[in-house]
Amino acid sequence: MINVCDINVMKPLLAEHGFHFSKAKGQNFLIASWVPEGIARESGVTRDVGVLEIGPGIGPLTQQLCLNAGKVCAVELDNRLKPILDLTVGEFDNLEIVWSDVLKLDVPALVKEKFGDLRPMACANLPYYITSPILTALLEAECFEAVTVMVQKEVAVRIAAKPGSADYSAFTVFCQYYAEPELLFDVPAHCFLPQPKVTSAVITLRVRKERPWDIADQDIFFRTVRASFAMRRKKLSNGMASGFPELGKTGAAEVIAACGFDANVRGETLGISEFAKLANEITRRRQA
Ligand code: SAM
């Protein structure tokens, strides 16, 4: 197997194929083999698992996943990488490459088509310019057992943040609604070519089999969350009144009181069960 993380192998390989990194496609390739090895090991991928990899690049993580998984389906946008991937991962008969923009794919349909009875998981060193849309698509697909990804460290910290902390955001609530996050390890910038400006981190999201909240209307729930974070430094009632204009300031205050929360409560201190309570109260009033 070609060690594609070895800079003395990678550089001539790229040069031979006239390949130049595309910043627009978020191309920062791994040059430290402990990183893809660590991602594959920590992801829990085994022979009974089908893995969707996003952005194989020249294949460092793909190689590790193919060694451990039942099947790997890797989606890559940049078809200039085809002749290189033929050399670096062509030997694996449990690999299929789909040449496409992952955001244009029907992920649940792809998973069903490619993985059959295998347990579906997703794994990637994500292109950072579209981290949030890809994670959103992977979680909303509701078909993976776990999603293990490398992202900018500040994004990983945000995903795993606790209520009341500076990093807690609407995106935190979105991710934790679907999954339980665990920060795995940091990856310094010198592990990539070209080097990004930021530190990266690997995080695993174990998708919840059952969500422990009784939420009457999921759309209202996510509207409530967005409204609650829209005016971070103001009282929750201000954000709620602007996110739900039909409630007005009085209605927003009534909803907050009906849930038993302090009138001065701030949205960023609430947990998912509290957002669920607010959302259910709004749903109840809309149906009354
Ligand atoms: N997995 C390789 C590694 O770790 O060295 C490459 C990771 S690089 C950060 C991101 C990869 O995602 C690149 O190969 C890039 O071409 C690919 N990519 C970017 N946008 C994409 C998209 N919308 N759909 C699929 N792949 C994409």
Side-chain angles (χ1 to χ4, degrees), residues 10 24-30 53-62 75-78 81 100-103 124-130 134 150 192:
M10 181 199 274
K25 293 191 178 77
Q27 291 176 339
N28 300 92
F29 291 175
L30 281 166
E53 186 195 356
I54 294 127
I58 61 169
L61 180 58
T62 322
V75 178
E76 176 56 64
L77 176 67
D78 188 348
L81 292 163
S100 173
D101 178 342
V102 70
L103 294 176
N125 169 13
L126 286 179
Y128 292 170
Y129 74 107
I130 43 170
I134 294 180
M150 176 143 60
F192 301 87

Side-chain angles (χ1 to χ4, degrees), residues 56-73:
I58 61 169
L61 180 58
T62 322
Q63 290 178 333
Q64 296 303 318
L65 294 172
C66 285
L67 291 171
N68 291 286
K71 178 162 181 186
V72 178
C73 176

